[in-house]
Amino acid sequence: TQLLEQSPQFLSIQEGENLTVYCNSSSVFSSLQWYRQEPGEGPVLLVTVVTGGEVKKLKRLTFQFGDARKDSSLHITAAQPGDTGLYLCAGRSISNFGNEKLTFGTGTRLTIIP
Amino acid sequence: DTAVSQTPKYLVTQMGNDKSIKCEQNLGHDTMYWYKQDSKKFLKIMFSYNNKELIINETVPNRFSPKSPDKAHLNLHINSLELGDSAVYFCASSQRKQNGYTFGSGTRLTVV
């Protein structure tokens, strides 16, 4: 069973601080996605990283895929209250039959205090 | 225009009842999914359909039966509801072999 562990599970910081969320697994994934979910809504895709070692930036958010494609990190610079939400990593894998599956991480609930 | 819409948004029902949740996507995607999110916010895949064909069934009890009348619709019927079925159920869609799932806004099911 593929498992994606995120840390920390909960994070509450002051506006303007930096933070990093980690997503770790013992499985290799063909790609890794990050989603943000707000209360009462479904997850919304932020980014997809595909190549081992790949780094992608989305304004103040920096995403990195591990060299071995087993782990990923999300770094937020100068956090703002609008960054508050549940952050989910998700690993994409493809079975021998060509069926793809997206396995979600355990989630990080981020609260930015104004 | 809503890309993935599911109804109802909230569903409160008694144990033993049968209920259905409907999902429709207007993105032209060929694959649709049902996920269950528990009270700890863990999202777990239940079913995946590609072009109306079931391709993933993740050890879900037989009381759960998905039905896909066409590529744009994937409904979830649940028989003999149990307290443990209480959760938020999300429908999602994607284009096979392309990254990125689009999720609906969820159906909060409460079994009393």
Side-chain angles (χ1 to χ4, degrees):
Chain A
T1 303
Q2 295 169 320
L3 187 63
L4 281 157
E5 293 273 2
Q6 287 184 234
S7 61
Q9 187 179 357
F10 298 95
L11 183 58
S12 184
I13 63 171
Q14 293 286 337
E15 181 178 358
E17 293 184 358
N18 302 333
L19 66 108
T20 302
V21 176
Y22 299 94
C23 172
N24 295 298
S25 176
S26 57
S27 301
V28 177
F29 295 101
S30 59
S31 66
L32 199 295
Q33 301 175 8
W34 284 92
Y35 290 78
R36 182 168 71 203
Q37 184 180 10
E38 301 195 14
E41 298 296 329
V44 175
L45 179 68
L46 295 175
V47 79
T48 301
V49 284
V50 179
T51 308
E54 182 177 1
V55 176
K56 275 192 176 178
K57 290 195 173 187
L58 188 66
K59 296 183 180 178
R60 294 175 294 99
L61 278 59
T62 302
F63 304 85
Q64 183 162 9
F65 202 10
D67 291 341
R69 289 185 289 127
K70 292 182 179 181
D71 53 82
S72 180
S73 64
L74 157 60
H75 182 80
I76 301 179
T77 304
Q80 298 179 1
D83 296 328
T84 293
L86 177 69
Y87 287 81
L88 296 161
C89 65
R92 184 167 168 262
S93 55
I94 300 175
S95 73
N96 292 336
F97 301 101
N99 297 324
E100 63 176 71
K101 181 175 161 182
L102 196 65
T103 302
F104 279 84
T106 49
T108 296
R109 189 183 296 279
L110 174 64
T111 303
I112 308 301
I113 304 165
Chain B
D1 287 342
T2 304
V4 179
S5 60
Q6 46 182 117
T7 55
K9 176 79 172 172
Y10 300 96
L11 185 53
V12 181
T13 187
Q14 290 187 325
M15 279 176 56
N17 284 349
D18 303 339
K19 290 293 178 186
S20 292
I21 306 173
K22 295 186 175 182
C23 179
E24 176 182 4
Q25 56 99 0
N26 62 4
L27 296 165
H29 288 166
D30 60 4
T31 308
M32 296 185 71
Y33 314 84
W34 277 108
Y35 276 82
K36 179 180 180 180
Q37 188 170 46
D38 61 24
S39 57
K40 295 186 178 179
K41 302 299 183 185
F42 184 61
L43 261 173
K44 186 167 182 192
I45 179 108
M46 298 174 68
F47 300 102
S48 170
Y49 267 74
N50 177 258
N51 285 322
K52 303 194 301 175
E53 181 184 346
L54 178 67
I55 57 174
I56 291 178
N57 180 343
E58 286 283 314
T59 59
V60 178
N62 291 338
R63 299 182 293 103
F64 290 79
S65 53
K67 284 187 171 53
S68 182
D70 56 57
K71 270 176 42 173
H73 295 84
L74 180 61
N75 303 322
L76 183 64
H77 187 76
I78 315 170
N79 289 326
S80 304
L81 278 155
E82 300 177 357
L83 292 177
D85 297 332
S86 295
V88 182
Y89 291 83
F90 285 99
C91 177
S93 72
S94 72
Q95 185 62 24
R96 192 173 174 140
K97 300 192 187 301
Q98 295 183 14
N99 289 309
Y101 286 24
T102 302
F103 283 83
S105 57
T107 295
R108 182 176 292 278
L109 172 65
T110 304
V111 183
V112 296

